[in-house]
Amino acid sequence: MPLVNIKLIPDGITAQQKAKVIAGVTKVMEKVLKKNPAQTIVIIEEVPAENWGAGGEQVTAIRQKAAK
Amino acid sequence: MPLVNIKLIPDGITAQQKAKVIAGVTKVMEKVLKKNPAQTIVIIEEVPAENWGAGGEQVTAIRQKAAK
Amino acid sequence: MPLVNIKLIPDGITAQQKAKVIAGVTKVMEKVLKKNPAQTIVIIEEVPAENWGAGGEQVTAIRQKAAK
Amino acid sequence: MPLVNIKLIPDGITAQQKAKVIAGVTKVMEKVLKKNPAQTIVIIEEVPAENWGAGGEQVTAIRQKAAK
Amino acid sequence: MPLVNIKLIPDGITAQQKAKVIAGVTKVMEKVLKKNPAQTIVIIEEVPAENWGAGGEQVTAIRQKAAK
Amino acid sequence: MPLVNIKLIPDGITAQQKAKVIAGVTKVMEKVLKKNPAQTIVIIEEVPAENWGAGGEQVTAIRQKAAK
């Protein structure tokens, strides 16, 4: 009964992509760990780019620099 | 000083229900573990049904099938 | 299908107390939110006092001062 | 740059299985969401059966009943 | 490669304050733990006051009482 | 009342370094967000290198390659 929590910056992720992520990750748990898929829970948490930092900088700032 | 994090699909949860969840869970910590209620923190995180998967499927899809 | 994550400093918590916490919290979800208990997951994470900080201090240090 | 957190009851999971979980989940993120695999982080957290509850019961208790 | 997750009640937090939190926390990791800042991830999660409980009460209720 | 959760590979982190991380992060919250330090909680979770993946690979494997 694994619980999988995925945090990501949404960047236009669609409902269909979410469905594929849920299906794909559940399959990995089943194939590698023999976990019953009925008991795997997957949660996707969408975090705004402004709230995500890498290398000490907001992703919004990193992207603005990259776009220049 | 327990920290309790509750993730759920909101399904119309009201402010009053949230208050009761916070009070109820804090009381469990006090009664079972003798934890000072003043130091128990409870956080409720609301996750859209589209972002929640069980059995490899989005809850939105599970519910659509169940409604048929 | 709520997911409840409880982080606490173990302080000698027993298996039986864990069982009571799980039962108690699941009952709160059922009573307040009408959530099917079969689908409530509760996870207890034990954090050493040395790894827990409050008020800018390690709990180990806070307790040493309190014991003096 | 998704962050994936997987909580599970270890049940004898090997280092090699962990490697396969990490590789498999990272591939799902790349394939479905076009996320650069270099920026995907996967963390596996092992939770003792005694600390995991489902349906209001400890998994240790559920398994003991099932074994009878 | 530390992952830092900060949950807080937003209370009017600005994008600039978020940037300073990210920079400041990343610097602590570098200075104290010699962690490469390029590999530190910081995520800020904003939780409504209604969903946050302390001492068995919603923060919204605590604040209403304090304001009286 | 921010809650800060830090996950890291321990790599010989000492109790004193943990104390400095807790103090430093709490100070950032106070300085940038004017949060009362008495209400800031910091939790450090130590994750074995074998359970941490980046770029689709276990950190143990990444380090073995780097050491060659």
Side-chain angles (χ1 to χ4, degrees), chain D residues 1-4 9-14 21-22 25-28 30-32 35 37-39 48-49 53 56-57 60:
Chain D
M1 39 185 67
L3 299 187
V4 183
I9 299 173
D11 288 330
I13 187 176
T14 64
V21 165
I22 288 166
V25 169
T26 303
K27 194 156 288 176
V28 171
E30 185 184 8
K31 237 176 108 176
V32 179
K35 295 288 184 185
Q39 295 187 339
E57 279 195 298
T60 37

Side-chain angles (χ1 to χ4, degrees), chain E residues 33-56:
Chain E
L33 302 176
K34 312 298 168 217
K35 294 289 185 184
N36 180 353
Q39 295 188 340
T40 293
I41 305 284
V42 181
I43 289 179
I44 300 168
E45 293 186 9
E46 305 181 41
V47 179
E50 184 181 290
N51 290 22
W52 194 297

Side-chain angles (χ1 to χ4, degrees), chain D residues 15 18-19 22-23 26 37 40-46, chain F residues 7 45 47-48 50-59:
Chain D
K18 292 175 189 175
I22 288 166
T26 303
T40 294
I41 305 285
V42 181
I43 288 178
I44 300 168
E45 292 186 8
E46 305 180 43
Chain F
K7 292 183 202 289
E45 293 186 7
V47 179
E50 185 182 290
N51 288 24
W52 195 296
E57 278 194 299
Q58 268 169 315
V59 171

Side-chain angles (χ1 to χ4, degrees), chain F residues 3-68:
Chain F
L3 299 187
V4 183
N5 183 290
I6 301 167
K7 292 183 202 289
L8 45 74
I9 299 173
D11 288 330
I13 186 176
T14 64
Q16 216 176 6
Q17 283 177 311
K18 292 175 190 176
K20 282 184 188 170
V21 165
I22 288 166
V25 169
T26 302
K27 194 155 288 177
V28 171
M29 297 302 140
E30 186 184 6
K31 235 176 109 178
V32 180
L33 302 175
K34 312 297 169 218
K35 295 288 184 185
N36 179 354
Q39 296 187 340
T40 294
I41 305 284
V42 181
I43 288 179
I44 300 169
E45 293 186 7
E46 305 181 42
V47 179
E50 185 182 290
N51 288 24
W52 195 296
E57 278 194 299
Q58 268 169 315
V59 171
T60 36
I62 296 170
R63 290 180 173 177
Q64 275 164 17
K65 285 184 196 169
K68 274 181 192 167

Side-chain angles (χ1 to χ4, degrees), chain C residues 25-54:
Chain C
V25 169
T26 303
K27 194 155 289 176
V28 171
M29 298 301 140
E30 186 185 6
K31 237 177 107 176
V32 180
L33 303 175
K34 312 299 166 215
K35 295 289 185 184
N36 179 354
Q39 295 187 340
T40 294
I41 306 283
V42 181
I43 289 178
I44 299 168
E45 293 185 9
E46 305 181 42
V47 178
E50 184 181 292
N51 289 21
W52 192 297

